[in-house]
Amino acid sequence: MADVTDEQPEDEETGSGGGGLKLIIAGVGAAVIIGGGAAGWFTGIIPGALGMTADEEIVAEGEAADGDASSDSKKRGGRGKKGDEEEATSIVKLEPIIISLPSPTTIRRKLPRLNVVVALEVTDAELTEEMRPQLRNDLISTIRLIDAQTLNSPGGLATLRSTIEESAGAVLGSSLKQVLITEFILL
């Protein structure tokens, strides 16, 4: 009689038929894709394809070496215009403002809280830096006067922006060009 054994070839028993090789090929493929993406990003090919530009300061420094007269406005983010001549502007990001808001229907322990981050587009960044403490004080004082129901309404963000604009305009004068609210959380 013939000996019958239960042994099967390894490929049929595990059903993996070269699974280790497939895993290695997949790993090498992933590494090639990630490496190629990183190389494309750092060489500027991918940002260029996505419409992103190089940092304005780096571009401006290169133009300053060529003697370009408008490099100072580009270095400071010059996008604003005053008449026919270009006016240099800068974006100054302020520290987050976190305050409790008045609410006539809520008990004191559970007052609504507002977390807002503001950036200002200004023509005089040095003045803004000098006035930062007074600016922050005035912003907190005026924002504190807005109740949570107003901020929660559809026009609440516009109300907040105009309030900040008035307060910052009183401190910075004509240097203030635009108020940007970069974060707004009402809890």
Side-chain angles (χ1 to χ4, degrees):
M1 248 202 240
D3 289 331
V4 179
T5 61
D6 289 336
E7 292 181 27
Q8 295 177 351
E10 193 172 310
D11 290 346
E12 292 176 8
E13 181 178 329
T14 60
S16 62
L21 182 60
K22 289 179 185 177
L23 185 61
I24 291 172
I25 291 173
V28 169
V32 167
I33 290 171
I34 292 171
W41 181 265
F42 289 113
T43 58
I45 295 170
I46 293 175
L50 295 174
M52 297 176 178
T53 59
D55 188 81
E56 289 180 359
E57 289 187 29
I58 294 171
V59 173
E61 288 173 6
E63 291 173 353
D66 296 335
D68 186 4
S70 65
S71 67
D72 187 48
S73 69
K74 289 180 183 177
K75 209 181 267 189
R76 298 182 66 190
R79 291 187 190 96
K81 291 192 175 188
K82 186 176 184 180
D84 287 346
E85 59 188 61
E86 194 170 312
E87 189 173 14
T89 61
S90 297
I91 303 291
V92 178
K93 185 177 178 184
L94 302 177
E95 296 84 17
I97 297 172
I98 303 170
I99 57 175
S100 297
L101 298 171
S103 179
T105 61
T106 309
I107 60 172
R108 183 138 180 91
R109 281 192 227 155
K110 297 210 178 211
L111 287 175
R113 293 176 53 99
L114 173 68
N115 180 359
V116 64
V117 179
V118 177
L120 305 172
E121 183 178 5
V122 296
T123 56
D124 190 352
E126 291 175 15
L127 172 68
T128 307
E129 289 300 323
E130 278 180 32
M131 302 303 289
R132 189 181 285 265
Q134 181 181 353
L135 187 61
R136 183 171 170 79
N137 178 63
D138 291 358
L139 289 177
I140 290 171
S141 298
T142 55
I143 292 171
R144 180 81 175 87
L145 298 174
I146 305 172
D147 63 48
Q149 291 174 344
T150 302
L151 288 174
N152 220 9
S153 70
L157 194 58
T159 302
L160 179 63
R161 183 176 284 112
S162 66
T163 302
I164 292 171
E165 214 167 79
E166 288 174 20
S167 181
V171 174
L172 299 175
S174 62
S175 175
L176 179 66
K177 294 301 174 193
Q178 184 179 4
V179 171
L180 306 165
I181 298 176
T182 59
E183 187 176 318
F184 176 80
I185 301 171
L186 182 61
L187 300 171

